[in-house]
Amino acid sequence: MLARFAIIATTVWLGTCSTPPDWLDHVLAGGQLVVVTRETPTTYFLGHDDQPAGPEYDLARRFADTLGVELVIKPRDSLDALFDAVRNNEAHMVAAGIAITDKRKQTVAFSEPYQSVEQQIVYRLGTGRPKSVPEVFERNLVVLRDSSHAETLRAIKADHPRLTWQEIADDGVGDLLSQVADGSVQLTVADSHDFDLHRNFLPEIRVAFDIGSADDLAWVFPLQHSKALRTEANRFFARVRRNGQLARIQDRYYGHTDELDYVGTRTFIRHVDSRLPRYDAWFREAAAAHGLDWRLLAAVGYQESHWRAKAVSPTGVRGIMMLTEATADYLDIDDRTDPRSSIFGAARFIARLKERLPDTIREPDLTWMALAAYNVGFYHLRDARAIVELEGKNPNVWIDVREALPLLAQKKWYQRVKYGYARGWEPVRYVENIRSYASILRWITDERETSDDDAQQLTQPAASSFTDVAP
């Protein structure tokens, strides 16, 4: 039974008594797994078509599916609120990338860890990289209150009494990284996966050095009455680690994060304002017509031509989507340099590539493979999938196909497949760049749409505090 999805914004008392039975019994009897989390890129957010997404959401949904119950997500705004929810029987568990610490283990219980991250001092490019703890003494260092980062700093202070920092409660790690990027905060501490995900959005931020030891991330449960539910969670993590689902989820959200450098990211962000507006409406219209995310389609256009309608490559591909002459003929496009025709043709072609791939390939792997085929050719992609099968891996998942594609340039491999040699490393870089561009574009457009909504609300007349209801 696939878990249905629900969001509950208000507090719900899960138990009818002050000492509930083990939460596993409660979950199975009530048919719901109630999970609290934070709305961040590394946990939970609303993605394409306002569908829930995020690494923690994906894991929690699969866990709920395993239990055969409905997943209920309850977002919280702070670390304190997350821990209070499980301590006060308002949720069965926390799934929010929480680090296991000795202090926390005194009041809550943890699952087995599913990910390890480093704590890193983060600074702004051009402000001078601190290389050791003493070089942090004279700078403004800000971290989240009651975070694992604060605990680490307190431990370091025992050896470095001059170390000082500020703890704040309201902002998230993403907000702190943004403040470092704009210079309003000099330093912060971030987990390595948070930094990796934000570095493409905020190209000014840099890692100075790691502090403390690596943190293990885990789900959080009440200290009492959760042993059986934790046991099921541990079995779940063992299974998704063994069958590759955990690796695929992590690749979905983090697999593209180290592809762009500072110059490439800054140039892209500048072109979002200077070039994209000319073609924005066509990207949106073409993507909607073919069931694609317009930000992804625009990212393909940027990877191909940097949004230049008259672009021409040495090999003869042309236009904003750099269509070959054969592809243009296949799509009945007369003028490859006409941007509207090129954009709509590329959207149609990507949709057709997705249709040609086997139904056994699921999203987002289906999209990544279609994009690889757009770059290297459908039959070379088929050869790469054949190599995956020869190696006893899964040809339906991108992380395995991504490893196989470069093998098409090695004689011992391309002689064993039907369509021969290909520059197989190129589609790998191509797909990962597009993923990075699309991720940055989503971040930019979401930020601007939120700002526009806030501005619109400020211009609206204030609503009455009371609502008239007809008897």
Side-chain angles (χ1 to χ4, degrees), residues 214-457:
D215 275 340
D216 288 329
L217 307 185
W219 286 346
V220 179
F221 299 84
L223 197 57
Q224 305 294 328
H225 317 296
S226 66
K227 183 177 180 180
L229 185 58
R230 278 184 283 129
T231 298
E232 288 300 318
N234 292 338
R235 289 173 179 165
F236 166 76
F237 281 127
R239 183 166 56 254
V240 296
R241 187 175 288 108
R242 186 172 56 250
N243 65 21
Q245 280 189 336
L246 179 60
R248 291 195 291 275
I249 289 172
Q250 292 176 341
D251 173 77
R252 177 179 183 181
Y253 295 99
Y254 307 119
H256 62 288
T257 54
D258 61 351
E259 294 301 325
L260 297 184
D261 60 14
Y262 173 79
V263 174
T265 301
R266 292 304 306 169
T267 301
F268 175 73
I269 292 172
R270 186 171 68 252
H271 286 164
V272 169
D273 290 322
S274 64
R275 296 181 181 179
L276 179 59
R278 307 171 204 169
Y279 313 112
D280 177 281
W282 289 331
F283 281 123
R284 292 174 185 265
E285 186 181 350
H290 295 284
L292 304 174
D293 182 341
W294 78 267
R295 279 80 58 98
L296 182 79
L297 184 61
V300 174
Y302 190 81
Q303 173 65 22
E304 291 287 355
S305 69
H306 284 202
W307 295 326
R308 292 176 299 154
K310 303 300 182 182
V312 180
S313 82
T315 59
V317 293
R318 296 175 179 271
I320 191 170
M321 306 305 282
M322 297 299 270
L323 301 177
T324 66
E325 187 172 359
T327 300
D329 290 342
Y330 172 69
L331 297 169
D332 294 324
I333 293 174
D334 295 326
D335 183 2
R336 287 180 284 165
T337 62
D338 174 62
R340 188 182 188 281
S341 297
S342 185
I343 290 169
F344 274 78
R348 189 161 74 250
F349 190 52
I350 292 170
R352 289 182 182 178
L353 287 170
K354 292 175 70 172
E355 290 172 357
R356 292 178 68 186
L357 288 165
D359 294 338
T360 50
I361 305 174
R362 298 182 179 181
E363 291 289 7
D365 303 78
L366 179 62
T367 293
W368 310 149
M369 290 194 214
L371 292 178
Y374 186 94
N375 175 260
V376 77
F378 183 82
Y379 293 109
H380 285 309
L381 176 72
R382 179 181 287 180
D383 280 350
R385 295 182 69 241
I387 290 174
V388 173
E389 289 190 283
L390 289 172
E391 292 190 307
K393 297 180 181 180
N394 189 346
N396 297 325
V397 299
W398 171 245
I399 56 174
D400 289 347
V401 174
R402 181 180 62 192
E403 292 180 0
L405 277 164
L407 301 180
L408 294 175
Q410 298 181 17
K411 186 175 182 179
K412 70 175 183 178
W413 285 106
Y414 69 69
Q415 285 186 329
R416 300 176 64 182
V417 292
K418 186 173 182 180
Y419 296 96
Y421 173 86
R423 295 160 59 94
W425 65 87
E426 289 185 347
V428 174
R429 172 66 66 161
Y430 178 86
V431 172
E432 301 314 310
N433 280 351
I434 289 170
R435 292 175 64 179
S436 294
Y437 291 136
S439 181
I440 297 170
L441 190 53
R442 290 187 191 103
W443 180 78
I444 291 172
T445 54
D446 288 347
E447 287 285 306
R448 291 178 179 176
E449 288 171 3
T450 299
S451 298
D452 290 344
D453 290 343
D454 291 343
Q456 185 176 6
Q457 289 178 9

Side-chain angles (χ1 to χ4, degrees), residues 204-221:
E204 297 86 0
I205 61 175
R206 289 292 185 275
V207 170
F209 56 91
D210 294 348
I211 62 171
S213 57
D215 275 340
D216 288 329
L217 307 185
W219 286 346
V220 179
F221 299 84

Side-chain angles (χ1 to χ4, degrees), residues 82-102:
L82 293 176
F83 288 108
D84 287 345
V86 293
R87 292 180 187 127
N88 298 332
N89 295 334
E90 296 167 10
H92 297 119
M93 55 180 257
V94 179
I98 302 297
I100 302 172
T101 70
D102 291 337

